[in-house]
Amino acid sequence: MAENLYRNPEPVPPASQLAVLPFLAAVDGYLLENGNVPGLRITMHRAVNREGDGYLQQVCAYLAETGVDGRGKVGRFFPVDDRIIGASYGNGQVWRTKHYPDLDALHAELRDAEKGDLHALPSSYLAIPFLGPQKQVVLILYADCHQLNFFADDERVNRIVAMSRGLCRLFDSLQKEPFPALRNFPLQKGEPITGKGGVYPVQEALPKIQPPSFSEVFSFNYEAAVA
């Protein structure tokens, strides 16, 4: 089932996509402040219920060097234990790639977990969960790039988390006083569907960084509504 959903994405409401893309564009601008970051991609996932089953679903296309990229990947479903986003979903913490002295050291630790051309893989990953009022994961910001140790910088991660808290405050206020023709229609929690799992050994949790959290938003499903 999960494999079929991955290959056959299901639509995400345009309003939900537009709700997160400007924020991701701001994160992208911050990350590129000091120049080009090779292979940088940023997107957002949400926790969804499909026929009673719980998955993570890609909310929008990637923001990449070429602009908005990978529209065909919008709506893909992932098991809730899928790699770094699954690890972030599982314990509600920020996850990233550890610091390595060089690329060879990173690849040496990856060889047992990943087959194929390791140079084709990103060398830095980041996953930031957005928690709901009951500490459930509502959204997960995902980013990767080919610059070694890019997300191993605590200050960089803390700034993205601070920006994410601002997004939480915005949507909490919109939950109380929504736009006339826009609503966040609730999603019920599904029974979590797991897959092969497999967070790479090069990734680490950051329990000292408090993830962003909503006080009013339990799920993320913005759609146009009758005024």
Side-chain angles (χ1 to χ4, degrees), residues 96-102 105 109 148-149 151-153 202 204:
R96 69 173 177 197
T97 305
K98 303 173 189 174
H99 183 278
Y100 285 88
D102 52 47
E109 196 164 356
L148 184 67
N149 296 326
F151 296 118
D153 183 327
V202 300
E204 64 179 359

Side-chain angles (χ1 to χ4, degrees), residues 183-210:
R183 290 290 186 278
N184 183 19
F185 291 95
L187 296 172
Q188 299 301 314
K189 183 177 180 180
E191 184 66 27
I193 298 301
T194 58
K196 297 179 181 178
V199 61
Y200 292 152
V202 300
Q203 320 295 10
E204 64 179 359
L206 299 177
K208 292 183 179 180
I209 296 181
Q210 186 67 30

